[in-house]
Amino acid sequence: MTSSRTGGGRREQTRQKLFVAAQQLIAEQGFSATSVDEIAERAGVAKGTVYYNFKSKNELFEELLRHGVGLLTAALREASAAHPDAPIDQLDAMIREGLAFIEQYRAFARLLLSELWRTNRAWQNTLTLLREEAVAVVRASLDAAVASGELRADLDTGLVAAAIFGMVLVVAVDWLTFQPERSLDDVHAVLSTMVRGRLAAE
């Protein structure tokens, strides 16, 4: 039983190496230009190891998206749960957590941003569902704020949730690429002011 757990742990470590290598390479040069050989070399494993863990490059990439967006969604849920009775504070906490996540996983964020609006990928349906799960976490806080009277009753919470999710992703990548001298606190403060101000407006 111990050896089985150890083996599972080793395989998970190998998959993590492959995820990191794949996201870096694809963010640098695109999916089509990235080969399995390059992914294996960047990860420091044999090419056969890639195919032992994933049937194809497409499957590796789809699982990478599941893993990364899953981590982001979990981070948003955790941030929201820290403010159970304050929906607006939940939104603010999720904005900060989203920025912090992207700062930590910037290669994945660039990759996600490049893939979200493509419609010709084999994993598009999977990515659409993953995005909906993440946006739903934001929407739940907006719905709670509407129900409590903190936000106006006619607010289109689905569209606003998508706008907040997209804003955090785009602004974070722009910040890290073009304005890296800014701190997380600075960027969060600006987005927080924008969201609180606009949502509170009549």
Side-chain angles (χ1 to χ4, degrees):
M1 185 177 293
T2 301
S3 61
S4 174
R5 282 201 297 266
T6 301
R10 285 178 184 154
R11 186 177 184 193
E12 186 58 32
Q13 288 177 356
T14 299
R15 287 168 67 91
Q16 291 296 324
K17 287 181 181 178
L18 292 170
F19 285 154
V20 171
Q23 70 185 358
Q24 289 174 345
L25 285 164
I26 296 170
E28 291 167 8
Q29 59 193 32
F31 177 79
S32 298
T34 299
S35 69
V36 171
D37 291 289
E38 288 175 311
I39 294 171
E41 182 180 358
R42 179 71 67 93
V45 302
K47 182 178 179 179
T49 301
V50 180
Y51 289 113
Y52 174 74
N53 286 276
F54 306 99
K55 294 178 183 176
S56 64
K57 186 175 73 168
N58 276 4
E59 183 181 277
L60 189 163
F61 189 62
E62 186 166 342
E63 288 303 311
L64 167 60
L65 291 172
R66 287 183 186 277
H67 177 70
V69 179
L71 288 176
L72 174 57
T73 303
L76 295 178
R77 287 197 179 107
E78 186 174 345
S80 176
H83 305 275
D85 301 315
I88 299 300
D89 289 340
Q90 289 176 4
L91 289 171
D92 192 60
M94 284 189 282
I95 289 171
R96 184 179 183 86
E97 190 59 39
L99 292 170
F101 177 91
I102 294 168
E103 183 180 31
Q104 182 176 358
Y105 300 104
R106 58 188 71 188
F108 176 77
R110 292 190 180 98
L111 186 57
L112 179 61
L113 186 59
S114 71
E115 292 295 322
L116 264 177
W117 294 283
R118 292 182 186 271
T119 57
N120 61 342
R121 301 297 205 193
W123 49 81
Q124 183 58 35
N125 287 340
T126 296
L127 185 54
T128 297
L129 291 173
L130 292 170
R131 173 199 163 276
E132 288 175 356
E133 287 180 11
V135 172
V137 179
V138 181
R139 184 174 186 174
S141 292
L142 289 166
D143 286 338
V146 169
S148 67
E150 293 182 72
L151 298 178
R152 61 182 186 271
D154 64 344
L155 187 71
D156 186 336
T157 56
L159 186 56
V160 173
I164 291 174
F165 179 81
M167 176 188 70
V168 171
L169 179 58
V170 173
V171 170
V173 172
D174 184 89
W175 155 46
L176 295 168
T177 304
F178 300 110
Q179 304 179 71
E181 71 281 359
R182 290 184 178 272
S183 70
L184 171 62
D185 288 339
D186 288 342
V187 179
H188 170 240
V190 171
L191 296 191
S192 177
T193 299
M194 288 174 58
V195 169
R196 287 178 182 270
R198 292 307 301 167
L199 291 179
E202 291 295 333

